[in-house]
Amino acid sequence: MGKTQTALNIFQTILKLIFTARKRTQWSLSILCVLTGASLIALPFGAIQSAISFLIPNGWTEEPLTVSLLNSDTSIVSQVSAIVAGFFLIGFGMYIGRVAVKINARKRILPIEHLGLPNLERRGFIKNLPKEYASVNRDEVVLVDGRDTNPEEQLNRIRYKIADLREKIAKGGDPNDYIPMYGGLAQVPMVACAGFLWGNKTPIHVRDYDRQKDAWHDNDQPDDDAQLELQSIPAVNLEDKEFGVCLEFSIKMDRHAMARDFPGLPLYFVHYSDGLAGYDKISSADKQARFAHQISQYLNDLIRAHKQVDRVHLFVTAQNSFVFRLGQQLNQLHMPTFQIHYYDARVDPPGHPWSIKVSQKNDGPKVIHNNMARPETA
């Protein structure tokens, strides 16, 4: 009974180690296996009694991993089993390490820096990358330069650069060898359009720029479980062919300008449940995914409620990484045409001079100039 229990404990430990490391990098799993294997080999000699959990960094497991492998009266069979399992884990860990070396040698970061706001300087987009990218080769930064151009020219540059990069990945061997990385400082419609054109099929790492700290950062913070408040949808079949959805996250919207520029357009607002807006409040990949899914479902509900809708207007104040993710969500065949509006506080009076129309049902994104009646300037 004791021999069987010891063997089961060893097997259970191996399974737990693999399970807890399933989301880690290959290097982490390699080191974990080697350390655990060394512990197993040392156990029969009394060097490390039932102490595997002390060799595992706390951040690698959600719960403390404590398994009692050997009792003081374990038999020679149990001791040999521990040694054999130890050598197996060491060999397995070394094999994973060699595989990681080969994979990292092939991988390449494809950095995409998108600048669309006037008079911007380049700001070291790929500085301070996470440790997992420290040893990965990097291609030259692809600059999508829309500074000091008109909206049509910037859109053309986005389309060309995105198409060129997607072709490079498709024809450059194994697509998994490339790590596309995007960082944008551009108008909301342009960033959303970049996300739309990139789509959901090819993974991409998206970075954000912290205006207060003057530095790029990754969305690696934990989800703080903040909730959204979504305006209720009338429980009737609505006849409107167009409606607007307003996502207020970074700053509050100019509702006076919206009412003036889009008279009669039904508007549905989405904001934080506490009513407070702020910069960089969605700096968690998990939180972004949760919000994107919730908003996508809300859009679907609105579209079902508006049986004759053929166009949805989007107004967004949010950090660029989330805007990019939102653009990716819009690249779905069942969605109607979306018109993403640009708000310009520099014009007099402030308003929405242009937008970008995106849809899967036409020949691609298009700039639309909003030539609306402006009573203050008439």
Side-chain angles (χ1 to χ4, degrees):
M1 183 68 178
K3 297 177 183 179
T4 302
Q5 186 60 47
T6 299
L8 287 174
N9 284 341
I10 293 173
F11 181 68
Q12 182 185 28
T13 300
I14 294 173
L15 289 180
K16 282 188 176 183
L17 290 170
I18 294 174
F19 179 77
T20 55
R22 69 196 184 282
K23 293 184 178 179
R24 305 296 166 183
T25 65
Q26 289 172 309
W27 278 115
S28 298
L29 182 56
S30 173
I31 295 171
L32 184 61
C33 288
V34 171
L35 290 176
T36 306
S39 301
L40 285 170
I41 293 171
L43 279 172
F45 303 99
I48 307 175
Q49 287 291 340
S50 303
I52 287 179
S53 61
F54 297 113
L55 287 175
I56 302 174
N58 291 333
W60 288 11
T61 58
E62 286 121 4
E63 299 179 358
L65 178 60
T66 55
V67 179
S68 178
L69 288 174
L70 300 174
N71 300 319
S72 58
D73 58 345
T74 50
S75 66
I76 188 66
V77 174
S78 300
Q79 296 177 25
V80 170
S81 299
I83 293 173
V84 170
F87 278 114
F88 169 79
L89 282 175
I90 290 175
F92 183 58
M94 293 177 67
Y95 169 76
I96 293 175
R98 287 196 298 270
V99 171
V101 169
K102 291 181 180 179
I103 291 176
N104 282 342
R106 293 199 314 263
K107 283 189 177 294
R108 306 193 67 81
I109 294 174
L110 291 182
I112 309 162
E113 184 175 9
H114 180 187
L115 300 180
L117 301 175
N119 305 315
L120 274 179
E121 295 182 359
R122 303 185 71 172
R123 302 179 181 230
F125 156 58
I126 54 174
K127 290 182 179 178
N128 304 318
L129 290 178
K131 292 180 180 179
E132 61 192 281
Y133 300 113
S135 61
V136 181
N137 297 317
R138 304 175 188 177
D139 281 9
E140 184 178 351
V141 175
V142 175
L143 178 62
V144 182
D145 194 353
R147 297 170 291 182
D148 304 316
T149 64
N150 59 46
E152 287 82 1
E153 180 59 27
Q154 184 178 170
L155 176 58
N156 286 335
R157 294 179 185 183
I158 295 171
R159 296 179 68 170
Y160 171 77
K161 294 287 188 179
I162 294 291
D164 188 53
L165 285 168
R166 289 177 60 85
E167 184 178 9
K168 179 177 181 177
I169 293 172
K171 296 183 177 180
D174 187 348
N176 294 322
D177 291 343
Y178 293 99
I179 305 173
M181 195 171 289
Y182 173 89
L185 283 170
Q187 300 90 338
V188 164
M190 294 297 177
V191 176
C193 183
F196 179 86
L197 289 170
W198 189 266
N200 286 306
K201 294 182 179 179
T202 304
I204 186 168
H205 182 92
V206 185
R207 308 196 80 201
D208 262 317
Y209 183 75
D210 189 322
R211 300 169 188 267
Q212 295 178 331
K213 297 181 180 179
D214 191 27
W216 291 92
H217 67 84
D218 297 277
N219 295 302
D220 51 7
Q221 297 181 12
D223 187 345
D224 61 5
D225 202 35
Q227 299 300 310
L228 296 180
E229 182 176 318
L230 300 88
Q231 184 172 326
S232 60
I233 305 172
V236 294
N237 291 333
L238 302 171
E239 301 298 325
D240 302 293
K241 292 187 177 181
E242 299 185 15
F243 63 85
V245 177
C246 310
L247 308 178
E248 288 184 308
F249 296 140
S250 294
I251 59 174
K252 292 290 187 178
M253 293 182 177
D254 186 344
R255 303 196 181 198
H256 174 71
M258 296 174 73
R260 179 195 62 226
D261 291 344
F262 307 97
L265 181 70
L267 296 175
Y268 298 86
F269 285 84
V270 177
H271 49 75
Y272 294 112
S273 59
D274 61 9
L276 301 176
Y279 292 111
D280 284 328
K281 291 183 68 173
I282 326 177
S283 296
S284 160
D286 291 337
K287 185 176 179 180
Q288 287 194 5
R290 179 166 60 87
F291 279 8
H293 175 76
Q294 193 172 356
I295 292 168
S296 179
Q297 185 60 52
Y298 184 60
L299 287 171
N300 285 326
D301 292 343
L302 282 167
I303 291 166
R304 281 193 292 267
H306 294 76
K307 300 296 184 181
Q308 302 181 46
V309 68
D310 57 18
R311 181 165 304 193
V312 178
H313 298 262
L314 282 180
F315 307 86
V316 186
T317 64
Q319 61 203 72
N320 280 350
S321 63
F322 182 75
V323 175
F324 186 93
R325 298 295 187 196
L326 180 65
Q328 290 182 291
Q329 289 288 323
L330 302 181
N331 194 338
Q332 302 180 51
L333 287 173
H334 72 280
M335 290 289 195
T337 296
F338 283 90
Q339 196 166 330
I340 310 159
H341 292 271
Y342 171 58
Y343 174 77
D344 193 346
R346 300 167 302 173
V347 299
D348 186 21
H352 306 80
W354 55 269
S355 58
I356 292 183
K357 179 180 71 173
V358 298
S359 174
Q360 282 278 16
K361 302 172 184 178
N362 56 33
D363 57 353
K366 180 181 179 181
V367 174
I368 298 178
H369 290 274
N370 301 331
N371 298 317
M372 301 175 184
R374 309 297 293 277
E376 294 87 343
T377 59

